[in-house]
Amino acid sequence: MKKYLAFIPFFLFVVTVHLLTSWTDTLYYLTQMTMSAYYCLLIIGLCVVMGYAGQISLGHAGFFAIGGYISAALTTSNLIEYRDLPLVRLLDSMGMLMTGQDIYGDTLIVITPWMACLAAVILAILLAYLIGIPALKLKGHYLAMATLGFGIIIYRIVLATPYFGEADGIAEVPAFVLFGDISVSGDFSSRVSNYYIAWILLTLGMVLLINLIDSRVGRALRAIHGAEDAADSMGVDTTAYKLNVFVLSAVFAALAGVFMTHYNGSIGPSEAGVMKSVRYVAIVAVGGMAHLWGALIMGITLNFLSLRGVFGTYDDAVFGVILIFIMLFAPNGLLRINFRHVATQLLFFRRAGKKEA
Amino acid sequence: MTAELFIQYIFAGITYGAIYAIVAIGFNIIYNTTGIINFAQGEFVMLGGMISISLLEYMALPLAIVAAVLITMVIGALIEVVFIRWLERPSVLRMIIITIGISILIREVALHIWGESVRSLPYFIGDEITSVAILGARISPQVFWVLGTCTVMVLLLGLFFQATSIGREMRACAANRTAAILCGIDTKNMVTFSFVLSAALGALAGCVMSPITYSQYNIGTGLAIKGFTVAILGGLGSSGGAIIAGLLLGIIEAFSVSVLPLSFQEAVSIAILLLILFIRPHGLFGSKDAAGLKDF
């Protein structure tokens, strides 16, 4: 039960933020908190890949974009012209279609968000296997470049394909009705409920991952990170573990993309950009690599500040500086920083004598 | 496809290919002495072009280029001294992240200095419309400047590594670092030299390519990825392989335009990168067994 203790302050924080903002009449902060929570869903998934399995991925914005774009494209492309096609009829008879109206009042027939979400996740899983099976055989620089390449290809595709709206992205994405009256949407009236939806999803993700790393899988992953060859010779199927964790994190990223897109009502190519992937890596690094709560805390803090525009035009630069400084002075994360050690390093430019993590 | 168009594509291909080869050689120089891939390699090319364009206001073109190359060399040395020199046996993951951070930092500084505008140096001879006819195709003289400069750079580099004592010390450092230390070679200085050298290569390439390809604050990432593709394709660490692979990638990329829309050009070269990484990570010419021993 000890591992769940950290959820108590977590829930207190979530409720406190809501109460504070409603008392001080600053509920608009909840919008950024909601978005930060969705980004964090991706970040905690990446944290397991980087921190526990020890594999770098510079392509997670790509999976986020797959989730967001597939969901947005399917729930906005009008099938009314094709309604007599057998495939569309089949989808309709299975309850996978819904009707709506566009801004001009014309009738739309689109795929329901649930189905679009399912399609997005399935595509993310397929692509994660496709890219993961060969890529995870690579190490270090090669893996970094391969995942970076994957991210750029996704970015180039969404930027150059008319179906995905090219540079404009996709707007007018409908609300995602979860059940009853509860739906993921950017509607002002449902800001509070959306805030809780996002944080409940994040909590579910955390519970899943905390249990995962506390299990046989987690121990195997730590063994892989510590010494892959040793783990291999002890009978740990290193390839399968690395691959499955990578795919799981891709699913987290795709889901984050789906929910974020329905929440914002739109998605643009910048979500697939290389800088986004680098930013996620930076946040995991600041959080301490193998530290889910650290990644969560830093993810919320930095994304919230960034979304509030605190960093201004230096947004990307801030994350670059964070990357460099964390990796130079605190490779184990900001929360485990050894200030005396850093001070001596900075003052005398001593060489970092401690063993690498 | 007509013969003229074919030759036009070939020349466009080898022009870009020569640039990619130079970036790849820059990767190799640093990789050989340190075992790390400097993800900020493409930024040196960007800096060379941008600095020379800014300096052009105050001095003649050749002087501006020389000054830009020297300034970029200083920046390369600073990067090594400030960020890398004092780390003891850093892990590969840590070095990747640090050099990515450095490249972001350089790019953002460039954005704040030069803005988002696209600039270029003037053509070294004539202007945009000056051209030389070769077998019916019209080739800009600047293409020959690029090819000539790249050839001279590669030849001088070969001479440097074979004939000068610093060059030999750098090769010793690449071959066996511990043995080099035992022979009294200051390997730390060799690492700094390798950064200076690859900064110089990148900056000069950035200057000569600027009239044709233009310079902008964000060209570094694309060049770095293509340079890396070439370095892997030619076998990481091998300069000869890099040249062949560079020309190959440049030509493939040039011809991809005739099949796919221009906006997919980058996706094509990255797809090639992924294919190579997945099928032949030791490169077209490298040995699989030797690659297995390397610590990527």
Side-chain angles (χ1 to χ4, degrees):
Chain A
M1 275 294 101
K2 202 178 145 212
K3 62 188 175 191
Y4 295 119
L5 275 181
F7 280 104
I8 297 171
F10 177 72
F11 289 135
L12 285 177
F13 168 77
V14 174
V15 176
T16 314
V17 167
H18 171 214
L19 294 179
L20 270 180
T21 49
S22 69
W23 281 335
T24 54
D25 208 20
T26 49
L27 271 177
Y28 49 84
Y29 282 123
L30 291 187
T31 305
Q32 284 85 28
M33 287 302 282
T34 311
M35 291 168 73
S36 303
Y38 287 136
Y39 279 130
C40 266
L41 197 58
L42 181 155
I43 287 162
I44 56 173
L46 183 62
C47 175
V48 176
V49 172
M50 281 182 63
Y52 293 91
Q55 310 298 309
I56 190 169
S57 169
L58 288 166
H60 261 57
F63 290 115
F64 182 93
I66 288 170
Y69 265 101
I70 293 299
S71 183
L74 290 181
T75 53
T76 53
S77 45
N78 196 352
L79 298 175
I80 201 156
E81 285 174 39
Y82 311 106
R83 64 183 150 189
D84 294 326
L85 288 179
L87 179 68
V88 177
R89 277 165 181 258
L90 179 73
L91 289 176
D92 195 21
S93 64
M94 290 166 78
M96 293 181 182
L97 298 180
M98 64 175 198
T99 53
Q101 276 187 335
D102 67 7
I103 43 169
Y104 309 109
D106 294 329
T107 315
L108 291 174
I109 296 180
V110 294
I111 290 170
T112 61
W114 277 108
M115 283 305 122
C117 174
L118 193 65
V121 169
I122 290 172
L123 185 67
I125 290 175
L126 287 178
L127 279 175
Y129 271 113
L130 190 72
I131 201 86
I133 289 172
L136 293 174
K137 286 182 192 155
L138 305 169
K139 279 188 275 181
H141 298 120
Y142 282 24
L143 180 63
M145 271 295 180
T147 48
L148 181 67
F150 165 74
I152 295 179
I153 289 181
I154 298 290
Y155 174 69
R156 284 288 156 195
I157 289 175
V158 296
L159 195 61
T161 317
Y163 184 63
F164 294 124
E166 294 177 330
D168 296 329
I170 300 175
E172 316 256 338
V173 181
F176 187 163
V177 182
L178 293 174
F179 49 84
D181 289 340
I182 307 293
S183 63
V184 178
S185 74
D187 207 6
F188 285 129
S189 55
S190 59
R191 186 146 56 192
V192 174
S193 69
N194 263 292
Y195 170 73
Y196 282 104
I197 291 171
W199 284 84
I200 287 168
L201 280 169
L202 183 58
T203 311
L204 291 176
M206 276 304 273
V207 171
L208 183 76
L209 291 182
I210 284 176
N211 278 306
L212 184 80
I213 57 172
D214 201 33
S215 68
R216 186 186 171 84
V217 180
R219 286 190 295 275
L221 289 177
R222 277 193 290 274
I224 293 172
H225 192 186
E228 196 170 328
D229 294 335
D232 214 2
S233 64
M234 295 302 283
V236 177
D237 188 350
T238 52
T239 321
Y241 277 113
K242 285 192 292 185
L243 183 61
N244 290 332
V245 167
F246 184 73
V247 174
L248 181 70
S249 75
V251 171
F252 270 61
L255 281 175
V258 169
F259 287 113
M260 178 77 103
T261 305
H262 285 285
Y263 181 63
N264 280 340
S266 64
I267 185 166
S270 69
E271 288 296 346
V274 174
M275 260 322 290
K276 285 278 181 184
S277 294
V278 173
R279 164 178 304 203
Y280 303 140
V281 170
I283 290 170
V284 172
V286 184
M289 293 289 192
H291 200 304
L292 275 176
W293 285 106
L296 183 82
I297 293 168
M298 287 303 162
I300 295 294
T301 316
L302 290 174
N303 274 312
F304 180 75
L305 292 176
S306 169
L307 288 165
R308 288 297 307 168
V310 173
F311 306 135
T313 52
Y314 294 95
D315 207 31
D316 287 346
V318 166
F319 284 91
V321 170
I322 287 175
L323 266 187
I324 297 178
F325 271 81
I326 288 298
M327 281 296 120
L328 286 182
F329 301 117
N332 291 326
L334 204 57
L335 302 177
R336 297 187 200 157
I337 201 165
N338 180 344
F339 285 103
R340 240 178 81 194
H341 188 57
V342 171
T344 18
Q345 274 183 7
L346 272 180
L347 283 176
F348 309 111
F349 257 80
R350 288 252 182 88
R351 278 182 258 140
K354 290 269 164 66
K355 268 175 79 180
E356 285 285 324
Chain B
M1 191 183 291
T2 61
E4 289 83 31
L5 198 59
F6 184 80
I7 291 167
Q8 204 86 45
Y9 276 138
I10 291 279
F11 266 93
I14 54 178
T15 311
Y16 281 89
I19 305 284
Y20 300 155
I22 293 296
V23 179
I25 291 173
F27 272 123
N28 283 337
I29 293 173
I30 293 181
Y31 176 79
N32 278 340
T33 48
T34 61
I36 60 175
I37 292 289
N38 172 26
F39 278 67
Q41 188 65 37
E43 312 312 321
F44 291 146
V45 181
M46 181 270 292
L47 283 175
M50 293 306 253
I51 295 174
S52 63
I53 293 165
S54 294
L55 289 178
L56 199 59
E57 278 182 42
Y58 311 104
M59 53 188 83
L61 184 64
L63 266 181
I65 291 176
V66 171
V69 171
L70 288 176
I71 293 172
T72 314
M73 285 163 81
V74 172
I75 295 173
L78 278 177
I79 287 174
E80 202 277 333
V81 170
V82 175
F83 296 116
I84 292 166
R85 194 181 184 86
W86 51 279
L87 293 173
E88 194 168 275
R89 275 182 288 124
S91 65
V92 171
L93 185 66
R94 199 170 160 195
M95 286 317 304
I96 293 173
I97 298 181
I98 290 175
T99 54
I100 289 176
I102 293 168
S103 89
I104 295 170
L105 210 56
I106 296 177
R107 191 164 63 235
E108 290 299 309
V109 170
L111 175 63
H112 281 272
I113 295 176
W114 291 293
E116 290 188 350
S117 61
V118 180
R119 294 143 188 260
S120 73
L121 280 177
Y123 280 72
F124 294 4
I125 295 175
D127 52 34
E128 302 89 272
I129 50 168
T130 318
S131 65
V132 184
I134 292 178
L135 300 173
R138 320 238 11 123
I139 312 295
S140 162
Q142 191 66 31
V143 166
F144 299 104
W145 272 105
V146 173
L147 296 179
T149 312
C150 290
T151 316
V152 170
M153 271 198 272
V154 171
L155 291 178
L156 284 181
L157 208 60
L159 206 62
F160 170 78
F161 278 122
Q162 296 297 330
T164 65
S165 74
I166 290 183
R168 281 200 295 267
E169 284 176 18
M170 282 175 76
R171 280 199 297 142
C173 187
N176 188 331
R177 199 159 175 176
T178 320
I181 295 173
L182 289 174
C183 292
I185 296 171
D186 190 338
T187 52
K188 293 212 169 270
N189 283 347
M190 290 308 128
V191 173
T192 317
F193 274 130
S194 69
F195 269 81
V196 172
L197 201 56
S198 65
L201 280 181
L204 189 54
C207 293
V208 289
M209 69 180 252
S210 174
I212 312 179
T213 63
Y214 305 114
S215 307
Q216 204 185 353
Y217 78 99
N218 61 3
I219 58 169
T221 318
L223 279 172
I225 289 180
K226 287 169 191 170
F228 184 79
T229 311
V230 167
I232 300 292
L233 190 58
L236 201 55
S238 146
S239 291
I243 296 167
I244 301 172
L247 298 180
L248 197 63
L249 181 73
I251 291 170
I252 293 175
E253 212 183 66
F255 278 98
S256 80
V257 180
S258 62
V259 189
L260 282 168
L262 185 63
S263 44
F264 286 106
Q265 194 184 37
E266 200 173 54
V268 168
S269 54
I270 294 166
I272 295 174
L273 167 68
L274 290 183
L275 274 179
I276 302 157
L277 284 178
F278 296 163
I279 298 167
R280 281 187 76 87
H282 44 285
L284 287 180
F285 318 109
S287 132
K288 193 174 185 176
D289 300 328
L293 295 172
K294 280 184 189 165
D295 177 32
F296 298 126

